Amino acid sequence: MNCIATYEKAIFKSTENGYCIFQFKTKDADVPVQARRNYTFKDRLIRFTATGYGLPQTDAIEFILTGEWCEDKKHGCQLAVQEWQEVIPKTTDGVKAYLCCGLIKGIGEKLAEVIVARFGVGALDILEKEPERLLEIKGITEGRLEDIKESYAESRGLRDLMTFLAPYGITPRTALKIQQEFGSGCLEIIRKQPFKLCSIPGFGFKRVDAIALKTGCQPNDALRIRGALFYILDENSGQNGHLYLETDDLCKEALRLLNEKLPLPHLRLQMREVSDELYETVLRGELVSSDGAVYLPWYFAAEDLVARRVAEILTEPAPLIDISVVLAQAVEELGVTLSKKQMDAVKMAFRYNLSIITGPPGTGKTTVLKTILKVFGKLEKDGKILLAAPTGRASRRMAESTGYPDAKTLHSALGLISGDEMESFRENQKPLEADLIIADEFTMADMWLASKLFSRMKPGTKVILVGDVDQLPSVGAGNVFRELISCEMIPVTVLDEIFRQSKDSLIAYNAKFINENKTQLYYGDDFRLTDCQNQKEAAEIILRAYMNEVAQSGAENVQILSPFRSEGDASAEKLNEAVRELINPTVPGAAEFTVGARTFRLGDRVMQNKNNYDLIWTAKDGSKGCGAFNGDIGTVVKIDTYAEEMLVDMDGRMVEYRPITALELELAYAMTIHKAMGSEFDTVIIPVLSAHTILLHRNILYTAVTRAKRRVRLVGQKKSLFIAIHTNKIAKRNTLLGQRIIQYFQPSAAKQETKNAIALPERLKSTG
């Protein structure tokens, strides 16, 4: 349907993909009653919400919005806009309003008045057909005319491009990239040579293929084959964490992809055509081949940089320092007793410029770090320290546990500002000033982030990487922490004695058994398995268990962790809604904060799902700051519907949310196990079901179990639990980091000394 309406305000607009949620107003009585705002306005116009990509954001003129009214139980009835166009009244006022509405850069209100005075209602025809006549107007130079023409052409050209690409799900942001890449003739180029789109980073091959098959492109077009190669490598890095694929595997996957939409046998490609194009692509430097391993260039560069820098650090001469006296003083002042392995970890940190500390939760890593910081402070009165972790939540836990208040996220410490693609990060290239760097939860660091950290370390800096090697690997590509350990070139201390939990803790014993591939777990009050047969039954049991645990410990100390995000009753999203209805149901008349498909209530437990360095917060002492980070958990403490503002208490920081930023929040009564990395809770409740088998494996189960400090509640089948323990997926990530470190490391006496210092358990020696 069509609706003539005027833009009123933005509810949400994504800077990443151009997706908009806007409020419009109209006289159109055909707007469904269920889509109308429930308030009566003085102008008597109907307000409704429209969604779409690149919607117009000016109230100077009306627009014809074309789309469908979509009803959803979560966010009500909204107009899903498929296309739009301006309504330009054939009057001088209407033409003037359009010219200065902001859609055409370079024309303001005063210039619009002059243009309309000169050309009248025919001004737009002049702009379309004879733009050079604008030079007749005083103040419009050749340069300014070019700006106006370019802006007008972009506006019209982008609209035509979007209309052509809309059936293929291409967003305005991607369309804008196409226009910037190919210029004003981009639409004609795409119609004739659609696989040129594959030269644009991040552009989906399958969408291009769908366009190509409808425009008569040759199946064996070199650009099509190259696009398939890039797509396969990119998909494997994102989905499987691979930095490279072997040549044969890459060609086979690309051939399968290229032929799956070609029903006629004579059109299908042969392996030789794919391998020949791969060879040419490598020769042009667009892909990197290293001994049969084919990389996207940026991943090869990141892996190679980390390997070289690690080798350089390992060969840097470290001054020999006897810390015995200072260490004894530090231990006494801290009031702690260190085990032999903890003592070794502290000494190793000062003996070498790069060392690693690993071990499961509760094995005293924090005590070791506090001791290292104490010793360093005594040795280096003016030494600069950097404590950092991959996530905001992990960095704040680090600050709280060590007593060092300035712990940061690695992104913040490195000056990385997030964008939607790797190349859109802006960063400071200066070396880090720190003399001691401690990076906690380094299991979560992918190869790209690790390369940024290692590239910024100055010579002589002492670096300590801390984490639990048996946790899930990073979400991004690579398996950095495990590779650094398994190369056996870096001094490693493995802490395996449980301190945080009691000696008789079933959690500690069972975490150890899970790592050792043993299925005979111990069960008792602090580690329990409740049997059930399906997701619906599991969800009911989980809800009862959650309410019981909350009654004993409080909601902030109980966390549901699910392998799945959105599939089935026992997924994180479904459990979130179910728990919320029990613990924080709708109260008639109570304020709610609705944005898009999400509704938040006072008292809701919520989590930030991406890094945002611009969100403003106020601390309890009145001090202000900026930043909320992926994984931060808090409670909604204030909702102001009139001001469209919501406050969330995140560990004492009152973070301000508007509609545009509230979409970065999600309910956090339940979360995925991946999201829980770097966090800990008194009690965790975990569904372990056959429906989750595809995601159930040893590392994900171990990660979930070790988030708990006091109690673990498993809900599911023993069979599924056994499958998870016996399934180890960590070895499937393709990376050559460990081998490259060995290659770049020059043989020396220090090499053998370092290897002797490691004495790794056998299970840590296998590469990922």
Side-chain angles (χ1 to χ4, degrees):
M1 68 151 292
N2 293 336
C3 179
I4 299 176
T6 305
Y7 165 84
E8 184 166 53
K9 66 177 181 179
I11 298 173
F12 170 75
K13 184 175 182 180
S14 172
T15 58
E16 295 184 0
N17 60 17
Y19 182 72
C20 304
I21 304 174
F22 287 172
Q23 183 169 298
F24 283 83
K25 55 186 178 182
T26 181
K27 298 177 182 177
D28 193 340
D30 289 335
V31 173
V33 174
Q34 62 269 30
R36 304 181 187 187
R37 292 288 301 273
N38 294 326
Y39 302 99
T40 301
F41 298 86
K42 291 182 179 180
D43 58 14
R44 301 294 179 183
L45 295 178
I46 298 167
R47 266 71 174 178
F48 66 91
T49 301
T51 64
Y53 292 91
L55 298 184
Q57 196 171 1
T58 174
D59 59 3
I61 57 175
E62 290 183 318
F63 298 90
I64 300 175
L65 306 178
T66 303
E68 298 291 335
W69 293 104
C70 297
E71 182 70 47
D72 186 281
K73 63 180 181 180
K74 290 185 177 179
H75 52 264
C77 189
Q78 298 177 331
L79 181 63
V81 178
Q82 297 165 351
E83 60 182 70
W84 57 271
Q85 62 183 12
E86 309 95 333
V87 177
I88 306 173
K90 294 297 183 179
T91 64
T92 55
D93 286 342
V95 173
K96 174 190 166 185
Y98 172 70
L99 289 174
C100 65
C101 73
L103 295 176
I104 304 175
K105 297 176 183 177
I107 300 181
E109 187 173 350
K110 291 184 178 180
L111 184 56
E113 287 181 357
V114 177
I115 292 174
V116 172
R118 176 71 179 82
F119 298 113
V121 294
L124 294 183
D125 290 333
I126 295 295
L127 185 60
E128 178 80 32
K129 301 173 183 176
E130 302 176 86
E132 289 75 15
R133 290 194 59 190
L134 294 178
L135 293 172
E136 300 172 14
I137 296 174
K138 184 178 179 181
I140 297 183
T141 62
E142 291 279 358
R144 192 168 188 181
L145 175 61
E146 287 304 311
D147 290 340
I148 293 171
K149 287 165 61 178
E150 182 179 349
S151 177
Y152 183 75
E154 283 182 359
S155 178
R156 289 292 181 185
L158 187 61
R159 185 93 47 78
D160 294 341
L161 185 62
M162 275 302 302
T163 300
F164 177 73
L165 295 175
Y168 309 105
I170 304 301
T171 67
R173 180 170 182 142
T174 306
L176 182 59
K177 287 181 183 178
I178 296 169
Q179 189 182 60
Q180 291 170 342
E181 178 76 13
F182 301 120
S184 57
C186 59
L187 184 55
E188 191 64 21
I189 291 172
I190 291 170
R191 282 182 171 141
K192 293 181 178 179
Q193 295 177 289
F195 278 96
K196 280 197 171 184
L197 291 173
C198 291
S199 64
I200 300 175
F203 202 92
F205 170 82
K206 290 188 175 181
R207 287 179 178 176
V208 180
D209 214 24
I211 297 169
L213 293 176
K214 290 188 177 182
T215 55
C217 178
Q218 291 299 312
N220 63 348
D221 188 301
L223 286 173
R224 181 172 186 255
I225 299 173
R226 187 176 65 175
L229 293 170
F230 274 86
Y231 176 80
I232 293 298
L233 287 170
D234 190 55
E235 280 291 290
N236 273 277
S237 65
Q239 298 296 324
N240 301 316
H242 295 325
L243 288 176
Y244 71 85
L245 288 179
E246 295 289 347
T247 300
D248 288 347
D249 293 336
L250 174 59
C251 289
K252 286 176 183 177
E253 287 196 42
L255 184 66
R256 176 192 54 77
L257 176 66
L258 289 163
N259 285 336
E260 69 181 0
K261 296 292 184 180
L262 303 176
L264 301 178
H266 70 276
L267 294 176
R268 293 174 186 164
L269 281 74
Q270 302 300 313
M271 179 63 75
R272 178 184 53 78
E273 295 173 284
V274 178
S275 59
D276 286 351
E277 183 56 35
L278 174 59
Y279 177 76
E280 294 296 328
T281 305
V282 170
L283 282 184
R284 290 192 297 267
E286 295 168 358
L287 293 175
V288 177
S289 178
S290 175
D291 295 326
V294 182
Y295 292 78
L296 293 168
W298 46 89
Y299 283 132
F300 177 82
E303 183 182 75
D304 191 66
L305 184 148
V306 173
R308 288 178 183 272
R309 286 294 295 125
V310 168
E312 289 171 2
I313 294 170
L314 291 175
T315 54
E316 288 175 358
L320 293 175
I321 305 172
D322 184 358
I323 67 168
S324 301
V325 175
V326 177
L327 176 56
Q329 293 173 351
V331 168
E332 184 178 354
E333 291 176 17
L334 290 170
V336 298
T337 301
L338 300 183
S339 68
K340 183 182 183 304
K341 284 193 175 182
Q342 288 177 310
M343 195 76 74
D344 290 343
V346 176
K347 292 177 180 178
M348 196 172 287
F350 291 93
R351 189 174 183 181
Y352 302 99
N353 284 343
L354 175 61
S355 61
I356 292 174
I357 301 170
T358 185
T363 52
K365 294 192 296 291
T366 297
T367 302
V368 172
L369 295 187
K370 290 169 73 173
T371 307
I372 291 171
L373 290 169
K374 193 76 170 178
V375 172
F376 184 81
K378 289 178 176 295
L379 294 175
E380 303 285 345
K381 300 292 185 183
D382 299 320
K384 295 181 180 179
I385 298 171
L386 170 62
L387 301 190
T391 67
R393 188 169 179 81
S395 66
R396 269 192 291 282
R397 282 186 54 238
M398 193 180 188
E400 293 166 1
S401 61
T402 62
Y404 190 86
D406 294 328
K408 301 177 179 179
T409 65
L410 283 168
H411 287 80
S412 177
L414 295 168
L416 303 174
I417 308 300
S418 176
D420 67 335
E421 293 171 358
M422 219 172 297
E423 58 269 24
S424 68
F425 278 79
R426 304 190 301 277
E427 57 187 287
N428 183 345
Q429 296 292 342
K430 294 180 181 179
L432 295 168
E433 293 298 320
D435 301 297
L436 171 66
I437 297 174
I438 301 177
D440 198 8
E441 297 290 352
F442 207 69
T443 316
M444 301 169 68
D446 60 17
M447 190 63 74
W448 181 81
L449 184 57
S451 73
K452 297 304 178 186
L453 175 62
F454 277 94
S455 70
R456 298 279 299 282
M457 294 174 183
K458 66 180 184 180
T461 300
K462 289 200 174 296
V463 183
I464 304 166
L465 307 179
V466 186
D468 182 354
V469 71
D470 294 308
Q471 282 188 37
L472 289 167
S474 59
V475 174
N479 202 355
V480 180
F481 196 62
R482 178 170 285 269
E483 284 285 295
L484 291 175
I485 291 174
S486 62
C487 77
E488 300 188 44
M489 295 290 104
I490 304 169
V492 178
T493 302
V494 181
L495 301 177
D496 51 16
E497 183 178 353
I498 303 295
F499 295 103
R500 181 173 65 193
Q501 295 143 325
S502 70
K503 298 282 186 180
D504 296 325
S505 168
L506 298 185
I507 298 173
Y509 281 120
N510 287 332
K512 184 173 183 293
F513 292 158
I514 290 168
N515 264 340
E516 295 172 350
N517 195 21
K518 296 177 181 177
T519 56
Q520 295 300 317
L521 305 183
Y522 293 154
Y523 296 97
D525 183 61
D526 60 345
F527 199 99
R528 184 180 300 165
L529 171 64
T530 303
D531 187 69
C532 68
Q533 299 306 312
N534 54 58
Q535 289 209 61
K536 184 177 181 181
E537 185 182 353
E540 294 172 353
I541 295 171
I542 288 170
L543 293 178
R544 290 197 298 270
Y546 181 85
M547 297 304 289
N548 289 336
E549 295 293 340
V550 166
Q552 296 180 48
S553 308
E556 69 279 4
N557 296 316
V558 183
Q559 188 63 52
I560 301 171
L561 302 179
S562 177
F564 266 100
R565 178 180 180 84
S566 58
E567 296 182 24
D569 292 332
S571 66
E573 287 186 356
K574 292 293 179 64
L575 287 170
N576 260 323
E577 292 295 336
V579 169
R580 202 256 295 266
E581 291 309 310
L582 286 174
I583 202 168
N584 193 23
T586 299
V587 176
E592 292 188 345
F593 198 87
T594 300
V595 54
R598 299 173 185 174
T599 297
F600 301 104
R601 302 169 188 160
L602 279 175
D604 268 345
R605 183 174 169 83
V606 295
M607 177 173 58
Q608 177 78 14
N609 60 28
K610 66 183 294 185
N611 291 336
N612 187 327
Y613 297 86
D614 299 321
L615 281 170
I616 299 170
W617 54 260
T618 304
K620 291 180 180 179
D621 62 4
S623 61
K624 291 183 177 293
C626 294
F629 303 97
N630 191 1
D632 284 354
I633 296 175
T635 303
V636 178
V637 294
K638 181 182 178 181
I639 293 176
D640 188 333
T641 53
Y642 180 78
E644 295 189 314
E645 180 183 274
M646 182 170 68
L647 288 182
V648 176
D649 183 351
M650 289 183 171
D651 298 325
R653 297 171 302 120
M654 299 298 175
V655 186
E656 301 176 13
Y657 285 89
R658 302 283 182 175
I660 196 169
T661 52
L663 283 178
E664 298 173 2
L665 288 174
E666 58 189 59
L667 294 177
Y669 303 103
M671 66 178 69
T672 63
I673 296 169
H674 281 87
K675 281 288 187 181
M677 289 175 66
S679 301
E680 61 182 18
F681 311 94
D682 275 8
T683 300
V684 297
I685 305 171
I686 311 162
V688 184
L689 300 159
S690 57
H692 297 161
T693 299
I694 191 172
L695 282 180
L696 275 178
H697 52 84
R698 190 182 309 154
N699 300 99
I700 203 167
L701 179 63
Y702 172 84
T703 300
V705 166
T706 54
R707 299 310 89 209
K709 292 189 290 184
R710 293 178 56 211
R711 279 194 292 274
V712 171
R713 298 288 182 255
L714 302 175
V715 179
Q717 306 107 354
K718 277 193 176 182
K719 179 181 177 181
S720 298
L721 183 62
F722 293 167
I723 290 172
I725 293 173
H726 284 310
T727 305
N728 187 10
K729 292 188 177 180
I730 199 165
K732 292 185 179 179
R733 289 197 166 201
N734 292 344
T735 169
L736 297 175
L737 176 63
Q739 294 181 37
R740 294 191 193 284
I741 292 172
I742 296 170
Q743 173 189 342
Y744 291 136
F745 191 76
Q746 296 301 316
S748 66
K751 177 176 179 179
Q752 187 60 46
E753 182 183 4
T754 302
K755 291 184 72 173
N756 291 339
I758 294 173
L760 293 177
E762 286 300 321
R763 66 182 175 80
L764 299 187
K765 291 185 179 180
S766 60
T767 57

